[in-house]
Amino acid sequence: MSAALFSQLSLSVGSAQSSFTQRMNVAKPSVAPPRAAAPLVIEAAHKKGAGSTKNGRDSNAKRLGVKVYGDQRVKAGGIIIRQRGNTWHAGVNTFVGKDFTLHSKVEGTVKFKKTKRHGKQIDVIPLAAESA
């Protein structure tokens, strides 16, 4: 039986192909010519990259407002109100600083009042005037 197989696989000297290689030859598919390269297209990203933000900032609090209320004592030079703009106006024994802060000129008691002419106004009544 093995001799029968080898008889079919005989090689002939001088021939380009044997019977074995003839059976193995399979028709190769024709190769298509290479395509031309597609043009380069650059697209923008659809999502914003991670780690990038426009937020995350905040300013420090300015601590504005009334520091000494009505009928409370204040020292000479003490801050009565810290404000932006002239919302409260200086009255008797008070003065306005360069950032619109109202200070007391004398030691005394703070009085808040509203007038037609000056609007909201702050006075300081000196201690000597209170005791008299």
Side-chain angles (χ1 to χ4, degrees), residues 48-131:
K48 193 172 176 80
S52 171
T53 180
K54 292 183 180 179
N55 302 325
R57 293 175 302 281
D58 197 6
S59 60
N60 296 331
K62 301 303 175 201
R63 296 164 180 90
L64 302 175
V66 178
K67 306 303 177 190
V68 179
Y69 291 91
D71 296 327
Q72 289 183 335
R73 287 200 167 177
V74 65
K75 293 182 181 179
I79 296 174
I80 302 170
I81 288 189
R82 291 185 58 91
Q83 60 186 350
R84 292 289 172 261
N86 219 0
T87 304
W88 289 90
H89 298 277
V92 179
N93 294 321
T94 58
F95 66 96
V96 181
K98 68 177 184 177
D99 62 348
F100 297 102
T101 300
L102 291 179
H103 299 269
S104 172
K105 286 183 183 178
V106 295
E107 187 173 356
T109 304
V110 175
K111 296 289 182 188
F112 287 79
K113 66 179 182 179
K114 290 187 179 180
T115 63
K116 289 184 179 181
R117 184 172 183 205
H118 297 291
K120 297 184 274 188
Q121 189 173 6
I122 298 176
D123 296 333
V124 174
I125 294 149
L127 290 177
E130 290 176 0
S131 61

XYZ file of all heavy atoms in Angstrom, residues 48-131:
643
model
N -13.915 68.353 25.699
C -12.814 69.131 26.251
C -11.898 68.202 27.023
O -12.335 67.294 27.686
C -13.383 70.196 27.179
C -12.397 71.266 27.565
C -13.142 72.337 28.315
C -12.200 73.392 28.824
N -11.822 74.334 27.809
N -10.616 68.440 26.917
C -9.646 67.567 27.572
C -9.773 67.608 29.079
O -10.162 68.608 29.667
N -9.444 66.540 29.747
C -9.540 66.457 31.202
C -8.509 67.372 31.850
O -7.431 67.589 31.321
C -9.329 65.020 31.655
N -8.840 67.899 32.999
C -7.905 68.713 33.756
C -7.932 70.176 33.368
O -7.183 70.959 33.912
N -8.763 70.559 32.450
C -8.837 71.950 32.030
C -10.128 72.547 32.561
O -11.204 71.986 32.360
C -8.809 72.014 30.502
O -9.077 73.319 30.083
N -10.035 73.672 33.247
C -11.233 74.294 33.794
C -11.050 75.795 33.807
O -9.937 76.301 33.896
C -11.530 73.779 35.211
O -12.712 74.417 35.678
C -10.396 74.044 36.165
N -12.161 76.504 33.700
C -12.112 77.959 33.758
C -12.595 78.470 35.108
O -12.631 79.664 35.326
C -13.009 78.552 32.656
C -12.481 78.290 31.268
C -13.352 78.960 30.238
C -12.833 78.701 28.838
N -13.667 79.324 27.819
N -12.984 77.580 35.997
C -13.487 77.980 37.306
C -12.386 77.850 38.357
O -11.229 77.741 38.038
C -14.684 77.107 37.686
C -15.776 77.210 36.670
O -15.985 78.262 36.093
N -16.464 76.113 36.428
N -12.755 77.861 39.597
C -11.803 77.601 40.664
C -11.157 78.841 41.237
O -10.112 78.751 41.861
N -11.748 80.007 41.031
C -11.189 81.226 41.615
C -12.251 81.852 42.508
O -13.435 81.760 42.224
C -10.831 82.235 40.527
C -9.703 81.821 39.645
C -9.509 82.814 38.530
N -10.690 83.007 37.709
C -11.104 82.201 36.760
N -10.439 81.099 36.516
N -12.168 82.467 36.058
N -11.797 82.519 43.540
C -12.710 83.263 44.394
C -11.907 84.330 45.114
O -10.716 84.141 45.380
C -13.397 82.340 45.396
C -14.628 82.980 46.014
O -15.000 84.080 45.567
O -15.202 82.402 46.940
N -12.537 85.445 45.391
C -11.848 86.516 46.103
C -12.084 86.371 47.599
O -13.049 85.753 48.034
C -12.353 87.877 45.630
O -13.730 87.992 45.866
N -11.189 86.956 48.362
C -11.324 86.920 49.817
C -12.466 87.833 50.257
O -12.728 88.862 49.629
C -10.030 87.379 50.479
C -8.895 86.444 50.169
O -9.117 85.262 49.952
N -7.683 86.961 50.126
N -13.123 87.478 51.349
C -14.196 88.300 51.897
C -13.620 89.628 52.373
O -12.515 89.685 52.910
C -14.873 87.574 53.050
N -14.345 90.733 52.173
C -13.854 92.071 52.539
C -14.305 92.496 53.930
O -13.873 93.534 54.423
C -14.328 93.101 51.508
C -13.852 92.790 50.096
C -12.357 92.680 50.034
C -11.911 92.247 48.658
N -10.599 91.663 48.666
N -15.173 91.722 54.554
C -15.611 91.968 55.936
C -16.197 93.367 56.119
O -15.791 94.125 56.999
C -14.463 91.711 56.908
C -14.028 90.245 56.878
C -12.671 90.043 57.513
N -12.295 88.647 57.475
C -11.630 88.074 56.493
N -11.282 88.776 55.437
N -11.306 86.806 56.537
N -17.133 93.706 55.241
C -17.788 95.005 55.311
C -18.957 94.947 56.288
O -19.401 93.869 56.683
C -18.315 95.393 53.917
C -17.281 95.452 52.802
C -17.957 95.733 51.476
C -16.230 96.481 53.091
N -19.456 96.117 56.646
C -20.660 96.172 57.464
C -20.466 96.978 58.733
O -19.434 97.608 58.964
N -21.490 96.926 59.573
C -21.497 97.686 60.823
C -20.629 96.957 61.844
O -20.790 95.762 62.067
C -22.939 97.840 61.350
C -22.955 98.586 62.672
C -23.796 98.550 60.321
N -19.704 97.687 62.465
C -18.821 97.108 63.485
C -19.271 97.501 64.895
O -19.072 96.750 65.840
C -17.371 97.566 63.267
C -16.844 97.302 61.865
C -16.929 95.837 61.504
C -16.486 95.595 60.089
N -16.765 94.265 59.610
N -19.840 98.701 65.028
C -20.364 99.152 66.321
C -21.801 99.621 66.076
O -22.048 100.481 65.231
C -19.517 100.308 66.892
C -20.098 100.778 68.218
C -18.077 99.885 67.068
N -22.764 99.053 66.801
C -24.171 99.358 66.591
C -24.619 100.531 67.459
O -23.858 101.032 68.291
C -25.020 98.112 66.870
C -24.812 97.045 65.837
C -23.839 96.062 66.019
C -25.547 97.021 64.668
C -23.625 95.090 65.058
C -25.354 96.055 63.702
C -24.382 95.090 63.903
O -24.168 94.140 62.955
N -25.855 100.965 67.266
C -26.400 102.101 68.013
C -26.404 101.850 69.513
O -26.605 100.729 69.975
N -26.137 102.920 70.255
C -26.095 102.923 71.727
C -24.952 102.067 72.270
O -24.961 101.698 73.438
C -27.436 102.463 72.326
C -28.564 103.431 71.986
O -28.272 104.652 71.895
O -29.704 102.978 71.804
N -23.979 101.742 71.461
C -22.773 101.061 71.945
C -21.633 102.064 72.004
O -21.610 103.044 71.262
C -22.382 99.901 71.017
C -23.315 98.715 71.074
C -22.832 97.572 70.198
O -22.109 97.779 69.239
N -23.239 96.365 70.544
N -20.684 101.786 72.879
C -19.544 102.688 73.041
C -18.496 102.415 71.975
O -18.320 101.275 71.528
C -18.917 102.511 74.412
C -19.782 103.101 75.484
C -18.967 103.350 76.704
N -19.716 104.192 77.609
C -19.290 104.541 78.792
N -18.125 104.123 79.207
N -20.004 105.310 79.550
N -17.783 103.485 71.603
C -16.698 103.381 70.629
C -15.543 104.245 71.124
O -15.750 105.298 71.727
C -17.179 103.808 69.216
C -17.557 105.268 69.173
C -16.133 103.509 68.181
N -14.327 103.786 70.889
C -13.136 104.554 71.253
C -12.839 105.588 70.173
O -13.307 105.464 69.039
C -11.928 103.627 71.392
C -12.030 102.672 72.555
C -10.782 101.826 72.637
C -10.865 100.837 73.781
N -9.678 99.989 73.862
N -12.028 106.569 70.504
C -11.629 107.582 69.524
C -10.813 106.900 68.427
O -9.900 106.128 68.701
C -10.810 108.673 70.200
N -11.179 107.143 67.173
C -10.499 106.518 66.035
C -11.037 105.141 65.694
O -10.601 104.526 64.719
N -11.989 104.641 66.469
C -12.529 103.306 66.227
C -13.412 103.249 64.985
O -14.061 104.222 64.613
N -13.414 102.090 64.362
C -14.228 101.907 63.152
C -15.682 101.673 63.560
O -15.971 100.828 64.404
C -13.705 100.719 62.326
C -12.301 101.015 61.818
C -14.643 100.387 61.177
C -11.638 99.848 61.117
N -16.582 102.435 62.923
C -18.010 102.250 63.166
C -18.616 101.405 62.046
O -19.331 100.447 62.307
C -18.728 103.613 63.261
C -18.095 104.439 64.391
C -20.214 103.424 63.495
C -18.547 105.872 64.432
N -18.347 101.779 60.800
C -18.866 101.044 59.636
C -17.782 100.960 58.574
O -17.105 101.945 58.294
C -20.105 101.749 59.026
C -21.312 101.593 59.922
C -20.432 101.181 57.654
C -22.594 102.057 59.308
N -17.651 99.773 57.971
C -16.823 99.616 56.760
C -17.794 99.457 55.608
O -18.680 98.602 55.655
C -15.905 98.408 56.871
C -14.800 98.607 57.911
C -13.828 97.454 57.922
N -13.211 97.256 56.613
C -12.060 97.831 56.225
N -11.429 98.624 57.047
N -11.566 97.588 55.033
N -17.631 100.272 54.562
C -18.587 100.271 53.463
C -17.892 100.575 52.145
O -16.787 101.086 52.123
C -19.687 101.306 53.725
C -19.162 102.722 53.865
C -20.234 103.711 54.264
O -21.413 103.412 54.267
N -19.825 104.920 54.596
N -18.570 100.224 51.051
C -18.122 100.593 49.710
C -19.050 101.693 49.233
O -20.258 101.485 49.100
C -18.195 99.399 48.746
C -17.218 98.309 49.061
C -15.789 98.767 48.730
N -14.811 97.802 49.197
C -14.127 97.913 50.320
N -14.331 98.939 51.118
N -13.256 97.008 50.657
N -18.507 102.860 48.990
C -19.346 104.000 48.642
C -19.853 104.674 49.901
O -19.643 104.203 51.015
N -20.518 105.803 49.718
C -20.953 106.609 50.857
C -22.406 106.317 51.202
O -23.267 107.185 51.113
C -20.754 108.094 50.526
C -20.256 108.870 51.704
O -20.056 108.314 52.772
N -20.071 110.142 51.517
N -22.705 105.082 51.608
C -24.068 104.709 51.983
C -24.481 105.416 53.272
O -25.556 105.999 53.357
C -24.171 103.191 52.163
O -23.727 102.577 50.966
C -25.585 102.763 52.457
N -23.611 105.352 54.275
C -23.810 106.060 55.533
C -22.902 107.278 55.530
O -21.736 107.186 55.180
C -23.470 105.160 56.725
C -24.472 104.070 56.923
C -24.452 102.833 56.378
C -25.638 104.141 57.721
N -25.536 102.111 56.787
C -26.287 102.901 57.626
C -26.209 105.128 58.523
C -27.480 102.630 58.293
C -27.386 104.857 59.188
C -28.014 103.610 59.069
N -23.444 108.430 55.948
C -22.674 109.673 55.927
C -22.174 110.006 57.327
O -22.796 109.643 58.330
C -23.545 110.819 55.393
C -23.992 110.589 53.990
N -23.223 110.884 52.901
C -25.146 110.054 53.499
C -23.871 110.559 51.791
N -25.051 110.044 52.139
N -21.030 110.713 57.366
C -20.441 111.109 58.644
C -21.251 112.250 59.256
O -21.617 113.202 58.571
C -18.998 111.534 58.442
N -21.527 112.119 60.544
C -22.254 113.161 61.268
C -21.322 113.833 62.262
O -20.131 114.011 62.009
N -21.864 114.169 63.422
C -21.116 114.854 64.467
C -20.091 113.886 65.070
O -20.418 112.730 65.376
C -22.086 115.365 65.564
C -21.328 116.066 66.686
C -23.113 116.299 64.950
N -18.865 114.352 65.226
C -17.752 113.607 65.837
C -17.397 112.312 65.072
O -16.935 111.349 65.674
C -18.041 113.272 67.308
C -18.100 114.523 68.164
O -17.314 115.443 67.959
N -19.026 114.569 69.091
N -17.643 112.290 63.776
C -17.223 111.154 62.953
C -16.527 111.679 61.709
O -16.711 112.837 61.317
C -18.426 110.284 62.528
O -19.351 111.081 61.815
C -19.100 109.637 63.714
N -15.703 110.829 61.088
C -15.046 111.217 59.832
C -14.966 110.005 58.913
O -15.101 108.863 59.354
C -13.658 111.819 60.095
C -12.661 110.855 60.674
C -11.760 110.170 59.853
C -12.596 110.644 62.049
C -10.839 109.294 60.393
C -11.670 109.774 62.584
C -10.791 109.083 61.755
N -14.758 110.297 57.611
C -14.739 109.260 56.584
C -13.289 109.000 56.179
O -12.551 109.938 55.867
C -15.556 109.698 55.353
C -15.556 108.601 54.291
C -16.963 110.044 55.750
N -12.907 107.732 56.172
C -11.582 107.351 55.708
C -11.540 107.270 54.193
O -12.554 107.445 53.508
N -10.356 106.983 53.633
C -10.213 106.999 52.170
C -10.966 105.861 51.481
O -11.259 105.936 50.296
C -8.741 106.973 51.768
C -8.020 105.687 52.086
C -6.598 105.753 51.585
C -5.883 104.441 51.813
N -4.530 104.465 51.285
N -11.296 104.795 52.216
C -12.079 103.697 51.630
C -13.539 103.757 52.105
O -14.217 102.739 52.126
C -11.451 102.349 51.973
C -11.414 102.088 53.471
O -11.659 103.028 54.249
O -11.143 100.942 53.854
N -14.012 104.949 52.470
C -15.383 105.225 52.918
C -15.705 104.616 54.278
O -16.862 104.513 54.651
C -16.427 104.761 51.883
C -16.325 105.484 50.576
C -15.717 104.887 49.488
C -16.820 106.770 50.443
C -15.614 105.552 48.283
C -16.717 107.441 49.229
C -16.114 106.822 48.150
N -14.706 104.203 55.025
C -14.935 103.692 56.376
C -15.250 104.860 57.311
O -14.574 105.888 57.275
C -13.681 102.949 56.877
O -13.423 101.867 56.000
C -13.872 102.428 58.279
N -16.280 104.710 58.145
C -16.622 105.754 59.114
C -15.932 105.471 60.448
O -16.020 104.355 60.976
C -18.140 105.802 59.323
C -18.955 106.312 58.137
C -20.430 106.295 58.471
C -18.531 107.701 57.743
N -15.233 106.488 60.962
C -14.492 106.390 62.226
C -15.054 107.396 63.221
O -15.633 108.410 62.841
C -13.008 106.723 62.003
C -12.315 105.804 61.060
N -11.671 104.679 61.462
C -12.157 105.859 59.713
C -11.128 104.068 60.415
N -11.424 104.773 59.329
N -14.786 107.130 64.474
C -15.172 108.046 65.539
C -14.023 109.005 65.820
O -12.863 108.596 65.869
C -15.504 107.246 66.790
O -15.689 108.113 67.872
N -14.337 110.295 66.040
C -13.302 111.271 66.413
C -13.035 111.255 67.915
O -11.919 111.521 68.348
C -13.737 112.690 66.019
C -13.678 112.976 64.555
C -14.066 114.442 64.317
C -14.107 114.774 62.849
N -14.532 116.153 62.617
N -14.060 110.945 68.678
C -13.946 110.987 70.147
C -14.505 109.701 70.719
O -15.238 108.967 70.056
C -14.724 112.190 70.731
C -14.116 113.506 70.280
C -16.185 112.124 70.377
N -14.177 109.459 71.989
C -14.766 108.312 72.668
C -16.189 108.685 73.068
O -16.450 109.772 73.591
C -13.941 107.957 73.908
C -14.394 106.690 74.568
C -13.460 106.252 75.691
O -12.429 106.896 75.890
O -13.800 105.263 76.356
N -17.124 107.788 72.763
C -18.506 108.106 73.092
C -19.450 106.998 72.655
O -19.042 105.850 72.440
N -20.730 107.359 72.511
C -21.784 106.416 72.157
C -22.243 106.690 70.722
O -22.458 107.835 70.328
C -22.978 106.577 73.110
O -22.517 106.426 74.450
C -24.031 105.519 72.837
N -22.451 105.625 69.968
C -22.837 105.736 68.559
C -24.352 105.928 68.463
O -25.125 105.248 69.152
C -22.415 104.466 67.786
C -22.911 104.507 66.349
C -20.921 104.303 67.822
N -24.790 106.844 67.589
C -26.211 107.082 67.315
C -26.418 107.051 65.800
O -25.741 107.753 65.057
C -26.660 108.452 67.845
C -26.566 108.596 69.341
C -27.612 107.765 70.028
C -27.501 107.973 71.543
N -28.353 107.068 72.268
N -27.378 106.256 65.357
C -27.753 106.188 63.941
C -29.006 107.039 63.749
O -29.933 106.975 64.568
C -28.062 104.744 63.532
C -26.848 103.877 63.425
C -26.247 103.340 64.549
C -26.301 103.574 62.186
C -25.134 102.533 64.450
C -25.189 102.763 62.070
C -24.600 102.248 63.216
N -29.053 107.816 62.665
C -30.250 108.611 62.393
C -30.408 108.809 60.897
O -29.463 108.612 60.119
C -30.196 109.954 63.119
C -29.103 110.880 62.633
C -29.150 112.176 63.407
C -28.090 113.148 62.899
N -28.146 114.427 63.620
N -31.625 109.183 60.507
C -31.913 109.497 59.106
C -32.349 110.950 59.032
O -33.201 111.393 59.811
C -33.008 108.592 58.556
C -32.573 107.168 58.373
C -33.637 106.367 57.665
C -33.167 104.937 57.482
N -34.170 104.122 56.790
N -31.773 111.684 58.082
C -32.140 113.084 57.876
C -32.589 113.265 56.432
O -32.205 112.482 55.552
C -30.951 114.020 58.164
O -29.907 113.727 57.246
C -30.448 113.845 59.585
N -33.380 114.304 56.199
C -33.810 114.575 54.831
C -32.642 115.054 53.971
O -32.557 114.734 52.797
C -34.930 115.611 54.832
C -36.227 115.079 55.366
C -37.316 116.114 55.255
C -38.621 115.572 55.773
N -39.709 116.534 55.668
N -31.766 115.817 54.566
C -30.677 116.432 53.786
C -29.557 115.449 53.479
O -29.075 115.376 52.360
C -30.132 117.628 54.550
C -29.087 118.358 53.779
C -28.709 119.647 54.458
N -27.742 120.350 53.623
C -26.893 121.208 54.087
N -26.878 121.484 55.373
N -26.050 121.809 53.288
N -29.123 114.678 54.471
C -27.959 113.804 54.295
C -28.317 112.326 54.219
O -27.426 111.496 54.070
C -26.961 114.023 55.447
C -26.409 115.408 55.493
N -25.548 115.896 54.546
C -26.622 116.430 56.354
C -25.235 117.151 54.838
N -25.879 117.501 55.934
N -29.557 111.982 54.369
C -29.936 110.576 54.329
C -29.520 109.875 55.610
O -29.692 110.392 56.710
N -28.926 108.711 55.488
C -28.512 107.950 56.672
C -27.214 108.554 57.217
O -26.242 108.732 56.484
C -28.298 106.483 56.298
C -29.580 105.820 55.819
C -29.404 104.359 55.536
C -28.905 104.166 54.128
N -28.877 102.765 53.717
N -27.204 108.840 58.505
C -26.079 109.546 59.103
C -25.744 108.920 60.457
O -26.623 108.399 61.141
C -26.451 111.021 59.284
C -25.318 111.903 59.694
C -25.740 113.369 59.686
O -26.916 113.701 59.476
N -24.803 114.247 59.923
N -24.468 109.002 60.829
C -24.008 108.437 62.098
C -23.340 109.542 62.909
O -22.482 110.264 62.401
C -23.029 107.282 61.866
C -23.741 106.177 61.102
C -22.472 106.763 63.177
C -22.869 105.027 60.734
N -23.736 109.656 64.180
C -23.133 110.611 65.114
C -22.503 109.845 66.262
O -22.889 108.704 66.546
C -24.201 111.558 65.701
C -24.846 112.430 64.635
O -24.176 112.701 63.617
O -26.016 112.820 64.809
N -21.548 110.480 66.916
C -20.989 109.940 68.160
C -21.172 111.007 69.235
O -20.701 112.147 69.086
C -19.497 109.574 68.002
C -18.909 109.157 69.341
C -19.331 108.471 66.980
N -21.851 110.646 70.292
C -22.070 111.574 71.396
C -20.950 111.332 72.413
O -20.788 110.213 72.907
C -23.454 111.332 72.029
C -24.488 111.718 70.974
C -23.646 112.169 73.287
C -25.730 110.999 71.001
N -20.138 112.358 72.705
C -18.988 112.175 73.608
C -19.433 111.754 75.011
O -20.532 112.054 75.459
C -18.326 113.553 73.641
C -18.907 114.313 72.504
C -20.222 113.701 72.196
N -18.521 111.074 75.719
C -18.831 110.617 77.083
C -19.063 111.782 78.008
O -19.914 111.720 78.903
C -17.689 109.746 77.607
C -17.546 108.365 76.952
C -16.346 107.639 77.517
C -18.799 107.543 77.179
N -18.325 112.902 77.845
C -18.483 114.069 78.717
C -19.885 114.647 78.575
O -20.500 115.078 79.547
C -17.435 115.123 78.362
N -20.436 114.644 77.359
C -21.778 115.191 77.127
C -22.838 114.265 77.701
O -23.905 114.715 78.137
C -22.012 115.387 75.637
N -22.584 112.968 77.709
C -23.543 112.002 78.248
C -23.671 112.144 79.758
O -24.768 112.066 80.313
C -23.116 110.573 77.911
C -23.237 110.221 76.460
C -22.705 108.813 76.187
O -22.260 108.154 77.122
O -22.744 108.413 75.035
N -22.553 112.359 80.455
C -22.574 112.411 81.926
C -23.113 113.719 82.437
O -23.561 113.808 83.569
C -21.172 112.160 82.491
O -20.287 113.161 82.016
